[in-house]
PDB file of all heavy atoms in Angstrom:
ATOM      1  N   SER A   1     -15.108  20.555  24.313  1.00 48.00           N
ATOM      2  CA  SER A   1     -14.261  20.298  25.462  1.00 48.00           C
ATOM      3  C   SER A   1     -13.188  19.293  25.090  1.00 48.00           C
ATOM      4  O   SER A   1     -13.470  18.289  24.464  1.00 48.00           O
ATOM      5  CB  SER A   1     -15.092  19.734  26.604  1.00 48.00           C
ATOM      6  OG  SER A   1     -15.688  18.530  26.213  1.00 48.00           O
ATOM      7  N   SER A   2     -11.958  19.604  25.435  1.00 49.00           N
ATOM      8  CA  SER A   2     -10.904  18.639  25.179  1.00 49.00           C
ATOM      9  C   SER A   2     -10.856  17.683  26.353  1.00 49.00           C
ATOM     10  O   SER A   2     -10.954  18.079  27.493  1.00 49.00           O
ATOM     11  CB  SER A   2      -9.560  19.337  25.024  1.00 49.00           C
ATOM     12  OG  SER A   2      -9.169  19.896  26.257  1.00 49.00           O
ATOM     13  N   GLY A   3     -10.726  16.403  26.028  1.00 48.00           N
ATOM     14  CA  GLY A   3     -10.716  15.404  27.091  1.00 48.00           C
ATOM     15  C   GLY A   3     -10.794  14.071  26.399  1.00 48.00           C
ATOM     16  O   GLY A   3     -11.310  13.984  25.289  1.00 48.00           O
ATOM     17  N   SER A   4     -10.273  13.026  26.995  1.00 49.00           N
ATOM     18  CA  SER A   4     -10.248  11.740  26.327  1.00 49.00           C
ATOM     19  C   SER A   4     -11.665  11.212  26.190  1.00 49.00           C
ATOM     20  O   SER A   4     -12.467  11.296  27.107  1.00 49.00           O
ATOM     21  CB  SER A   4      -9.409  10.748  27.122  1.00 49.00           C
ATOM     22  OG  SER A   4     -10.025  10.491  28.353  1.00 49.00           O
ATOM     23  N   SER A   5     -11.971  10.690  25.014  1.00 54.00           N
ATOM     24  CA  SER A   5     -13.305  10.162  24.769  1.00 54.00           C
ATOM     25  C   SER A   5     -13.434   8.752  25.325  1.00 54.00           C
ATOM     26  O   SER A   5     -14.476   8.134  25.272  1.00 54.00           O
ATOM     27  CB  SER A   5     -13.605  10.131  23.270  1.00 54.00           C
ATOM     28  OG  SER A   5     -12.653   9.338  22.610  1.00 54.00           O
ATOM     29  N   GLY A   6     -12.320   8.215  25.825  1.00 54.00           N
ATOM     30  CA  GLY A   6     -12.369   6.889  26.404  1.00 54.00           C
ATOM     31  C   GLY A   6     -12.323   5.785  25.371  1.00 54.00           C
ATOM     32  O   GLY A   6     -12.565   4.633  25.670  1.00 54.00           O
ATOM     33  N   LYS A   7     -12.041   6.148  24.119  1.00 56.00           N
ATOM     34  CA  LYS A   7     -11.925   5.109  23.097  1.00 56.00           C
ATOM     35  C   LYS A   7     -10.524   4.510  23.150  1.00 56.00           C
ATOM     36  O   LYS A   7      -9.561   5.211  23.393  1.00 56.00           O
ATOM     37  CB  LYS A   7     -12.167   5.716  21.705  1.00 56.00           C
ATOM     38  CG  LYS A   7     -13.634   5.986  21.440  1.00 56.00           C
ATOM     39  CD  LYS A   7     -13.996   5.593  20.015  1.00 56.00           C
ATOM     40  CE  LYS A   7     -15.511   5.702  19.819  1.00 56.00           C
ATOM     41  NZ  LYS A   7     -15.995   7.063  20.113  1.00 56.00           N
ATOM     42  N   PRO A   8     -10.435   3.199  22.912  1.00 56.00           N
ATOM     43  CA  PRO A   8      -9.111   2.583  22.918  1.00 56.00           C
ATOM     44  C   PRO A   8      -8.228   3.159  21.815  1.00 56.00           C
ATOM     45  O   PRO A   8      -8.736   3.499  20.750  1.00 56.00           O
ATOM     46  CB  PRO A   8      -9.398   1.100  22.665  1.00 56.00           C
ATOM     47  CG  PRO A   8     -10.823   0.997  22.297  1.00 56.00           C
ATOM     48  CD  PRO A   8     -11.511   2.261  22.666  1.00 56.00           C
ATOM     49  N   ILE A   9      -6.965   3.259  22.087  1.00 58.00           N
ATOM     50  CA  ILE A   9      -6.036   3.768  21.086  1.00 58.00           C
ATOM     51  C   ILE A   9      -5.819   2.694  20.027  1.00 58.00           C
ATOM     52  O   ILE A   9      -5.592   1.531  20.353  1.00 58.00           O
ATOM     53  CB  ILE A   9      -4.673   4.127  21.708  1.00 58.00           C
ATOM     54  CG1 ILE A   9      -4.870   5.013  22.941  1.00 58.00           C
ATOM     55  CG2 ILE A   9      -3.765   4.796  20.689  1.00 58.00           C
ATOM     56  CD1 ILE A   9      -5.309   6.409  22.654  1.00 58.00           C
ATOM     57  N   PHE A  10      -5.875   3.094  18.770  1.00 57.00           N
ATOM     58  CA  PHE A  10      -5.702   2.133  17.693  1.00 57.00           C
ATOM     59  C   PHE A  10      -4.250   2.134  17.233  1.00 57.00           C
ATOM     60  O   PHE A  10      -3.712   3.159  16.849  1.00 57.00           O
ATOM     61  CB  PHE A  10      -6.611   2.495  16.517  1.00 57.00           C
ATOM     62  CG  PHE A  10      -6.419   1.620  15.310  1.00 57.00           C
ATOM     63  CD1 PHE A  10      -6.840   0.300  15.323  1.00 57.00           C
ATOM     64  CD2 PHE A  10      -5.801   2.117  14.172  1.00 57.00           C
ATOM     65  CE1 PHE A  10      -6.667  -0.510  14.219  1.00 57.00           C
ATOM     66  CE2 PHE A  10      -5.624   1.312  13.058  1.00 57.00           C
ATOM     67  CZ  PHE A  10      -6.062  -0.004  13.083  1.00 57.00           C
ATOM     68  N   THR A  11      -3.620   0.980  17.296  1.00 60.00           N
ATOM     69  CA  THR A  11      -2.267   0.836  16.782  1.00 60.00           C
ATOM     70  C   THR A  11      -2.226  -0.375  15.874  1.00 60.00           C
ATOM     71  O   THR A  11      -3.182  -1.139  15.805  1.00 60.00           O
ATOM     72  CB  THR A  11      -1.239   0.628  17.913  1.00 60.00           C
ATOM     73  OG1 THR A  11      -1.501  -0.644  18.524  1.00 60.00           O
ATOM     74  CG2 THR A  11      -1.331   1.723  18.958  1.00 60.00           C
ATOM     75  N   ASP A  12      -1.118  -0.546  15.180  1.00 63.00           N
ATOM     76  CA  ASP A  12      -0.976  -1.694  14.301  1.00 63.00           C
ATOM     77  C   ASP A  12      -1.018  -3.008  15.071  1.00 63.00           C
ATOM     78  O   ASP A  12      -1.297  -4.063  14.521  1.00 63.00           O
ATOM     79  CB  ASP A  12       0.353  -1.612  13.528  1.00 63.00           C
ATOM     80  CG  ASP A  12       0.263  -0.574  12.411  1.00 63.00           C
ATOM     81  OD1 ASP A  12      -0.871  -0.193  12.058  1.00 63.00           O
ATOM     82  OD2 ASP A  12       1.306  -0.154  11.904  1.00 63.00           O
ATOM     83  N   GLU A  13      -0.696  -2.914  16.366  1.00 72.00           N
ATOM     84  CA  GLU A  13      -0.652  -4.126  17.177  1.00 72.00           C
ATOM     85  C   GLU A  13      -2.005  -4.458  17.815  1.00 72.00           C
ATOM     86  O   GLU A  13      -2.187  -5.544  18.345  1.00 72.00           O
ATOM     87  CB  GLU A  13       0.398  -3.974  18.289  1.00 72.00           C
ATOM     88  CG  GLU A  13       1.820  -3.795  17.773  1.00 72.00           C
ATOM     89  CD  GLU A  13       2.293  -5.017  17.002  1.00 72.00           C
ATOM     90  OE1 GLU A  13       2.130  -6.147  17.491  1.00 72.00           O
ATOM     91  OE2 GLU A  13       2.825  -4.832  15.886  1.00 72.00           O
ATOM     92  N   SER A  14      -2.928  -3.504  17.757  1.00 75.00           N
ATOM     93  CA  SER A  14      -4.199  -3.687  18.452  1.00 75.00           C
ATOM     94  C   SER A  14      -4.909  -4.968  18.034  1.00 75.00           C
ATOM     95  O   SER A  14      -5.405  -5.720  18.870  1.00 75.00           O
ATOM     96  CB  SER A  14      -5.127  -2.503  18.190  1.00 75.00           C
ATOM     97  OG  SER A  14      -4.598  -1.325  18.734  1.00 75.00           O
ATOM     98  N   TYR A  15      -4.947  -5.211  16.729  1.00 71.00           N
ATOM     99  CA  TYR A  15      -5.675  -6.381  16.257  1.00 71.00           C
ATOM    100  C   TYR A  15      -4.969  -7.667  16.684  1.00 71.00           C
ATOM    101  O   TYR A  15      -5.618  -8.686  16.926  1.00 71.00           O
ATOM    102  CB  TYR A  15      -5.870  -6.331  14.738  1.00 71.00           C
ATOM    103  CG  TYR A  15      -4.661  -6.762  13.936  1.00 71.00           C
ATOM    104  CD1 TYR A  15      -4.575  -8.073  13.440  1.00 71.00           C
ATOM    105  CD2 TYR A  15      -3.615  -5.889  13.670  1.00 71.00           C
ATOM    106  CE1 TYR A  15      -3.475  -8.486  12.708  1.00 71.00           C
ATOM    107  CE2 TYR A  15      -2.510  -6.289  12.942  1.00 71.00           C
ATOM    108  CZ  TYR A  15      -2.450  -7.583  12.463  1.00 71.00           C
ATOM    109  OH  TYR A  15      -1.356  -7.996  11.743  1.00 71.00           O
ATOM    110  N   LEU A  16      -3.629  -7.598  16.793  1.00 74.00           N
ATOM    111  CA  LEU A  16      -2.878  -8.773  17.224  1.00 74.00           C
ATOM    112  C   LEU A  16      -3.170  -9.114  18.685  1.00 74.00           C
ATOM    113  O   LEU A  16      -3.311 -10.279  19.045  1.00 74.00           O
ATOM    114  CB  LEU A  16      -1.376  -8.555  17.043  1.00 74.00           C
ATOM    115  CG  LEU A  16      -0.828  -8.844  15.643  1.00 74.00           C
ATOM    116  CD1 LEU A  16       0.668  -8.553  15.589  1.00 74.00           C
ATOM    117  CD2 LEU A  16      -1.092 -10.280  15.231  1.00 74.00           C
ATOM    118  N   GLU A  17      -3.272  -8.079  19.495  1.00 78.00           N
ATOM    119  CA  GLU A  17      -3.603  -8.299  20.903  1.00 78.00           C
ATOM    120  C   GLU A  17      -4.953  -8.997  21.016  1.00 78.00           C
ATOM    121  O   GLU A  17      -5.125  -9.947  21.772  1.00 78.00           O
ATOM    122  CB  GLU A  17      -3.663  -6.968  21.654  1.00 78.00           C
ATOM    123  CG  GLU A  17      -2.292  -6.388  21.954  1.00 78.00           C
ATOM    124  CD  GLU A  17      -2.386  -4.951  22.457  1.00 78.00           C
ATOM    125  OE1 GLU A  17      -3.401  -4.612  23.100  1.00 78.00           O
ATOM    126  OE2 GLU A  17      -1.453  -4.177  22.202  1.00 78.00           O
ATOM    127  N   LEU A  18      -5.904  -8.502  20.230  1.00 76.00           N
ATOM    128  CA  LEU A  18      -7.237  -9.083  20.232  1.00 76.00           C
ATOM    129  C   LEU A  18      -7.186 -10.519  19.697  1.00 76.00           C
ATOM    130  O   LEU A  18      -7.795 -11.427  20.257  1.00 76.00           O
ATOM    131  CB  LEU A  18      -8.169  -8.231  19.364  1.00 76.00           C
ATOM    132  CG  LEU A  18      -9.634  -8.656  19.306  1.00 76.00           C
ATOM    133  CD1 LEU A  18     -10.260  -8.698  20.694  1.00 76.00           C
ATOM    134  CD2 LEU A  18     -10.419  -7.693  18.419  1.00 76.00           C
ATOM    135  N   TYR A  19      -6.416 -10.706  18.645  1.00 67.00           N
ATOM    136  CA  TYR A  19      -6.287 -12.022  18.023  1.00 67.00           C
ATOM    137  C   TYR A  19      -5.736 -13.050  19.005  1.00 67.00           C
ATOM    138  O   TYR A  19      -6.221 -14.168  19.093  1.00 67.00           O
ATOM    139  CB  TYR A  19      -5.385 -11.916  16.787  1.00 67.00           C
ATOM    140  CG  TYR A  19      -4.927 -13.251  16.225  1.00 67.00           C
ATOM    141  CD1 TYR A  19      -5.858 -14.197  15.798  1.00 67.00           C
ATOM    142  CD2 TYR A  19      -3.575 -13.547  16.104  1.00 67.00           C
ATOM    143  CE1 TYR A  19      -5.438 -15.418  15.271  1.00 67.00           C
ATOM    144  CE2 TYR A  19      -3.147 -14.761  15.576  1.00 67.00           C
ATOM    145  CZ  TYR A  19      -4.082 -15.688  15.166  1.00 67.00           C
ATOM    146  OH  TYR A  19      -3.663 -16.884  14.644  1.00 67.00           O
ATOM    147  N   ARG A  20      -4.726 -12.652  19.762  1.00 76.00           N
ATOM    148  CA  ARG A  20      -4.092 -13.585  20.701  1.00 76.00           C
ATOM    149  C   ARG A  20      -5.043 -13.998  21.820  1.00 76.00           C
ATOM    150  O   ARG A  20      -4.914 -15.073  22.381  1.00 76.00           O
ATOM    151  CB  ARG A  20      -2.829 -12.955  21.312  1.00 76.00           C
ATOM    152  CG  ARG A  20      -1.715 -12.831  20.304  1.00 76.00           C
ATOM    153  CD  ARG A  20      -0.403 -12.476  20.988  1.00 76.00           C
ATOM    154  NE  ARG A  20       0.608 -12.124  19.997  1.00 76.00           N
ATOM    155  CZ  ARG A  20       1.040 -10.888  19.771  1.00 76.00           C
ATOM    156  NH1 ARG A  20       0.544  -9.879  20.464  1.00 76.00           N
ATOM    157  NH2 ARG A  20       1.962 -10.654  18.866  1.00 76.00           N
ATOM    158  N   LYS A  21      -5.980 -13.114  22.142  1.00 79.00           N
ATOM    159  CA  LYS A  21      -6.946 -13.438  23.187  1.00 79.00           C
ATOM    160  C   LYS A  21      -7.961 -14.484  22.720  1.00 79.00           C
ATOM    161  O   LYS A  21      -8.610 -15.118  23.536  1.00 79.00           O
ATOM    162  CB  LYS A  21      -7.728 -12.175  23.598  1.00 79.00           C
ATOM    163  CG  LYS A  21      -6.937 -11.229  24.479  1.00 79.00           C
ATOM    164  CD  LYS A  21      -7.816 -10.040  24.840  1.00 79.00           C
ATOM    165  CE  LYS A  21      -6.980  -8.862  25.334  1.00 79.00           C
ATOM    166  NZ  LYS A  21      -7.676  -7.574  25.171  1.00 79.00           N
ATOM    167  N   GLN A  22      -8.090 -14.626  21.398  1.00 74.00           N
ATOM    168  CA  GLN A  22      -9.182 -15.435  20.866  1.00 74.00           C
ATOM    169  C   GLN A  22      -8.933 -16.936  20.895  1.00 74.00           C
ATOM    170  O   GLN A  22      -9.831 -17.719  20.682  1.00 74.00           O
ATOM    171  CB  GLN A  22      -9.510 -15.023  19.422  1.00 74.00           C
ATOM    172  CG  GLN A  22      -9.882 -13.568  19.260  1.00 74.00           C
ATOM    173  CD  GLN A  22     -11.074 -13.184  20.107  1.00 74.00           C
ATOM    174  OE1 GLN A  22     -12.012 -13.949  20.259  1.00 74.00           O
ATOM    175  NE2 GLN A  22     -11.032 -11.977  20.665  1.00 74.00           N
ATOM    176  N   LYS A  23      -7.697 -17.351  21.106  1.00 72.00           N
ATOM    177  CA  LYS A  23      -7.357 -18.774  21.112  1.00 72.00           C
ATOM    178  C   LYS A  23      -7.731 -19.457  19.798  1.00 72.00           C
ATOM    179  O   LYS A  23      -8.105 -20.616  19.764  1.00 72.00           O
ATOM    180  CB  LYS A  23      -8.088 -19.495  22.275  1.00 72.00           C
ATOM    181  CG  LYS A  23      -7.810 -18.909  23.636  1.00 72.00           C
ATOM    182  CD  LYS A  23      -6.470 -19.399  24.184  1.00 72.00           C
ATOM    183  CE  LYS A  23      -6.242 -18.855  25.578  1.00 72.00           C
ATOM    184  NZ  LYS A  23      -5.924 -17.410  25.559  1.00 72.00           N
ATOM    185  N   LYS A  24      -7.675 -18.693  18.731  1.00 75.00           N
ATOM    186  CA  LYS A  24      -7.944 -19.281  17.422  1.00 75.00           C
ATOM    187  C   LYS A  24      -6.705 -19.110  16.564  1.00 75.00           C
ATOM    188  O   LYS A  24      -5.945 -18.180  16.736  1.00 75.00           O
ATOM    189  CB  LYS A  24      -9.129 -18.586  16.740  1.00 75.00           C
ATOM    190  CG  LYS A  24     -10.469 -18.976  17.314  1.00 75.00           C
ATOM    191  CD  LYS A  24     -11.572 -18.312  16.507  1.00 75.00           C
ATOM    192  CE  LYS A  24     -12.944 -18.493  17.141  1.00 75.00           C
ATOM    193  NZ  LYS A  24     -13.461 -19.859  17.017  1.00 75.00           N
ATOM    194  N   HIS A  25      -6.535 -20.029  15.619  1.00 79.00           N
ATOM    195  CA  HIS A  25      -5.398 -19.901  14.715  1.00 79.00           C
ATOM    196  C   HIS A  25      -5.915 -19.587  13.319  1.00 79.00           C
ATOM    197  O   HIS A  25      -6.533 -20.426  12.677  1.00 79.00           O
ATOM    198  CB  HIS A  25      -4.564 -21.192  14.712  1.00 79.00           C
ATOM    199  CG  HIS A  25      -3.886 -21.425  16.023  1.00 79.00           C
ATOM    200  ND1 HIS A  25      -2.770 -20.710  16.436  1.00 79.00           N
ATOM    201  CD2 HIS A  25      -4.171 -22.272  17.036  1.00 79.00           C
ATOM    202  CE1 HIS A  25      -2.406 -21.124  17.642  1.00 79.00           C
ATOM    203  NE2 HIS A  25      -3.241 -22.068  18.028  1.00 79.00           N
ATOM    204  N   LEU A  26      -5.656 -18.383  12.873  1.00 85.00           N
ATOM    205  CA  LEU A  26      -6.096 -17.961  11.554  1.00 85.00           C
ATOM    206  C   LEU A  26      -4.933 -18.070  10.578  1.00 85.00           C
ATOM    207  O   LEU A  26      -3.785 -17.866  10.944  1.00 85.00           O
ATOM    208  CB  LEU A  26      -6.587 -16.509  11.594  1.00 85.00           C
ATOM    209  CG  LEU A  26      -7.700 -16.193  12.604  1.00 85.00           C
ATOM    210  CD1 LEU A  26      -8.107 -14.727  12.488  1.00 85.00           C
ATOM    211  CD2 LEU A  26      -8.906 -17.078  12.413  1.00 85.00           C
ATOM    212  N   ASN A  27      -5.254 -18.375   9.330  1.00 89.00           N
ATOM    213  CA  ASN A  27      -4.205 -18.365   8.315  1.00 89.00           C
ATOM    214  C   ASN A  27      -3.992 -16.940   7.811  1.00 89.00           C
ATOM    215  O   ASN A  27      -4.646 -16.004   8.268  1.00 89.00           O
ATOM    216  CB  ASN A  27      -4.532 -19.337   7.173  1.00 89.00           C
ATOM    217  CG  ASN A  27      -5.800 -18.955   6.432  1.00 89.00           C
ATOM    218  OD1 ASN A  27      -6.127 -17.780   6.286  1.00 89.00           O
ATOM    219  ND2 ASN A  27      -6.518 -19.932   5.943  1.00 89.00           N
ATOM    220  N   THR A  28      -3.083 -16.784   6.874  1.00 89.00           N
ATOM    221  CA  THR A  28      -2.736 -15.446   6.396  1.00 89.00           C
ATOM    222  C   THR A  28      -3.954 -14.670   5.919  1.00 89.00           C
ATOM    223  O   THR A  28      -4.141 -13.507   6.258  1.00 89.00           O
ATOM    224  CB  THR A  28      -1.762 -15.527   5.197  1.00 89.00           C
ATOM    225  OG1 THR A  28      -0.901 -16.634   5.380  1.00 89.00           O
ATOM    226  CG2 THR A  28      -0.961 -14.249   5.081  1.00 89.00           C
ATOM    227  N   GLN A  29      -4.768 -15.318   5.102  1.00 94.00           N
ATOM    228  CA  GLN A  29      -5.935 -14.643   4.539  1.00 94.00           C
ATOM    229  C   GLN A  29      -6.920 -14.233   5.626  1.00 94.00           C
ATOM    230  O   GLN A  29      -7.440 -13.123   5.628  1.00 94.00           O
ATOM    231  CB  GLN A  29      -6.618 -15.563   3.521  1.00 94.00           C
ATOM    232  CG  GLN A  29      -5.744 -15.848   2.316  1.00 94.00           C
ATOM    233  CD  GLN A  29      -6.447 -16.737   1.298  1.00 94.00           C
ATOM    234  OE1 GLN A  29      -7.477 -17.328   1.573  1.00 94.00           O
ATOM    235  NE2 GLN A  29      -5.866 -16.832   0.109  1.00 94.00           N
ATOM    236  N   GLN A  30      -7.143 -15.142   6.564  1.00 92.00           N
ATOM    237  CA  GLN A  30      -8.083 -14.858   7.640  1.00 92.00           C
ATOM    238  C   GLN A  30      -7.574 -13.732   8.534  1.00 92.00           C
ATOM    239  O   GLN A  30      -8.337 -12.856   8.939  1.00 92.00           O
ATOM    240  CB  GLN A  30      -8.319 -16.124   8.469  1.00 92.00           C
ATOM    241  CG  GLN A  30      -9.065 -17.201   7.697  1.00 92.00           C
ATOM    242  CD  GLN A  30      -9.086 -18.520   8.443  1.00 92.00           C
ATOM    243  OE1 GLN A  30      -8.085 -18.919   9.034  1.00 92.00           O
ATOM    244  NE2 GLN A  30     -10.210 -19.211   8.426  1.00 92.00           N
ATOM    245  N   LEU A  31      -6.279 -13.776   8.816  1.00 91.00           N
ATOM    246  CA  LEU A  31      -5.700 -12.764   9.686  1.00 91.00           C
ATOM    247  C   LEU A  31      -5.696 -11.401   8.991  1.00 91.00           C
ATOM    248  O   LEU A  31      -5.910 -10.366   9.620  1.00 91.00           O
ATOM    249  CB  LEU A  31      -4.273 -13.155  10.089  1.00 91.00           C
ATOM    250  CG  LEU A  31      -3.702 -12.400  11.291  1.00 91.00           C
ATOM    251  CD1 LEU A  31      -4.565 -12.609  12.537  1.00 91.00           C
ATOM    252  CD2 LEU A  31      -2.276 -12.827  11.572  1.00 91.00           C
ATOM    253  N   THR A  32      -5.460 -11.409   7.685  1.00 92.00           N
ATOM    254  CA  THR A  32      -5.513 -10.167   6.915  1.00 92.00           C
ATOM    255  C   THR A  32      -6.924  -9.584   6.947  1.00 92.00           C
ATOM    256  O   THR A  32      -7.115  -8.391   7.156  1.00 92.00           O
ATOM    257  CB  THR A  32      -5.091 -10.407   5.458  1.00 92.00           C
ATOM    258  OG1 THR A  32      -3.758 -10.927   5.432  1.00 92.00           O
ATOM    259  CG2 THR A  32      -5.123  -9.105   4.654  1.00 92.00           C
ATOM    260  N   ALA A  33      -7.905 -10.448   6.763  1.00 93.00           N
ATOM    261  CA  ALA A  33      -9.303 -10.013   6.820  1.00 93.00           C
ATOM    262  C   ALA A  33      -9.611  -9.422   8.194  1.00 93.00           C
ATOM    263  O   ALA A  33     -10.253  -8.381   8.308  1.00 93.00           O
ATOM    264  CB  ALA A  33     -10.229 -11.187   6.525  1.00 93.00           C
ATOM    265  N   PHE A  34      -9.119 -10.105   9.226  1.00 92.00           N
ATOM    266  CA  PHE A  34      -9.316  -9.652  10.599  1.00 92.00           C
ATOM    267  C   PHE A  34      -8.713  -8.264  10.796  1.00 92.00           C
ATOM    268  O   PHE A  34      -9.335  -7.372  11.367  1.00 92.00           O
ATOM    269  CB  PHE A  34      -8.676 -10.667  11.550  1.00 92.00           C
ATOM    270  CG  PHE A  34      -8.938 -10.402  13.015  1.00 92.00           C
ATOM    271  CD1 PHE A  34     -10.224 -10.501  13.528  1.00 92.00           C
ATOM    272  CD2 PHE A  34      -7.905 -10.082  13.867  1.00 92.00           C
ATOM    273  CE1 PHE A  34     -10.471 -10.268  14.883  1.00 92.00           C
ATOM    274  CE2 PHE A  34      -8.136  -9.855  15.212  1.00 92.00           C
ATOM    275  CZ  PHE A  34      -9.421  -9.943  15.717  1.00 92.00           C
ATOM    276  N   GLN A  35      -7.506  -8.087  10.272  1.00 92.00           N
ATOM    277  CA  GLN A  35      -6.817  -6.807  10.388  1.00 92.00           C
ATOM    278  C   GLN A  35      -7.570  -5.702   9.648  1.00 92.00           C
ATOM    279  O   GLN A  35      -7.746  -4.594  10.155  1.00 92.00           O
ATOM    280  CB  GLN A  35      -5.400  -6.933   9.835  1.00 92.00           C
ATOM    281  CG  GLN A  35      -4.569  -5.669   9.976  1.00 92.00           C
ATOM    282  CD  GLN A  35      -3.181  -5.821   9.390  1.00 92.00           C
ATOM    283  OE1 GLN A  35      -2.840  -6.865   8.835  1.00 92.00           O
ATOM    284  NE2 GLN A  35      -2.368  -4.801   9.512  1.00 92.00           N
ATOM    285  N   LEU A  36      -8.018  -6.003   8.440  1.00 94.00           N
ATOM    286  CA  LEU A  36      -8.739  -5.029   7.631  1.00 94.00           C
ATOM    287  C   LEU A  36     -10.076  -4.653   8.269  1.00 94.00           C
ATOM    288  O   LEU A  36     -10.465  -3.486   8.294  1.00 94.00           O
ATOM    289  CB  LEU A  36      -8.969  -5.577   6.222  1.00 94.00           C
ATOM    290  CG  LEU A  36      -7.727  -5.714   5.348  1.00 94.00           C
ATOM    291  CD1 LEU A  36      -8.039  -6.497   4.066  1.00 94.00           C
ATOM    292  CD2 LEU A  36      -7.142  -4.355   5.000  1.00 94.00           C
ATOM    293  N   LEU A  37     -10.772  -5.662   8.785  1.00 94.00           N
ATOM    294  CA  LEU A  37     -12.049  -5.409   9.452  1.00 94.00           C
ATOM    295  C   LEU A  37     -11.846  -4.589  10.721  1.00 94.00           C
ATOM    296  O   LEU A  37     -12.648  -3.718  11.038  1.00 94.00           O
ATOM    297  CB  LEU A  37     -12.739  -6.731   9.798  1.00 94.00           C
ATOM    298  CG  LEU A  37     -13.332  -7.513   8.621  1.00 94.00           C
ATOM    299  CD1 LEU A  37     -13.732  -8.915   9.055  1.00 94.00           C
ATOM    300  CD2 LEU A  37     -14.509  -6.784   8.010  1.00 94.00           C
ATOM    301  N   PHE A  38     -10.759  -4.886  11.407  1.00 92.00           N
ATOM    302  CA  PHE A  38     -10.434  -4.163  12.637  1.00 92.00           C
ATOM    303  C   PHE A  38     -10.228  -2.680  12.335  1.00 92.00           C
ATOM    304  O   PHE A  38     -10.754  -1.803  13.025  1.00 92.00           O
ATOM    305  CB  PHE A  38      -9.171  -4.766  13.262  1.00 92.00           C
ATOM    306  CG  PHE A  38      -8.899  -4.306  14.677  1.00 92.00           C
ATOM    307  CD1 PHE A  38      -9.303  -5.081  15.752  1.00 92.00           C
ATOM    308  CD2 PHE A  38      -8.232  -3.113  14.920  1.00 92.00           C
ATOM    309  CE1 PHE A  38      -9.059  -4.657  17.060  1.00 92.00           C
ATOM    310  CE2 PHE A  38      -7.990  -2.690  16.223  1.00 92.00           C
ATOM    311  CZ  PHE A  38      -8.404  -3.471  17.295  1.00 92.00           C
ATOM    312  N   ALA A  39      -9.472  -2.414  11.273  1.00 93.00           N
ATOM    313  CA  ALA A  39      -9.202  -1.026  10.879  1.00 93.00           C
ATOM    314  C   ALA A  39     -10.484  -0.335  10.414  1.00 93.00           C
ATOM    315  O   ALA A  39     -10.729   0.830  10.729  1.00 93.00           O
ATOM    316  CB  ALA A  39      -8.149  -0.989   9.771  1.00 93.00           C
TER     317      ALA A  39
END
């Protein structure tokens, strides 16, 4: 059956949206890790 599975759409910005909600400041390496783990 075709129909939305209800999963959030993944975009390059998705991890940034999540990151901004966290109130944490990550450095480049940490943010890269976050992005890679997110993907």
Side-chain angles (χ1 to χ4, degrees):
S1 61
S2 68
S4 65
S5 59
K7 284 221 173 58
I9 310 288
F10 175 71
T11 67
D12 285 343
E13 297 297 312
S14 295
Y15 80 98
L16 276 179
E17 284 169 31
L18 183 57
Y19 167 59
R20 290 192 190 107
K21 284 181 198 157
Q22 302 302 322
K23 304 280 183 287
K24 285 184 188 287
H25 293 285
L26 304 182
N27 63 33
T28 325
Q29 295 181 347
Q30 292 170 319
L31 196 59
T32 301
F34 186 66
Q35 183 181 2
L36 291 170
L37 288 169
F38 192 97

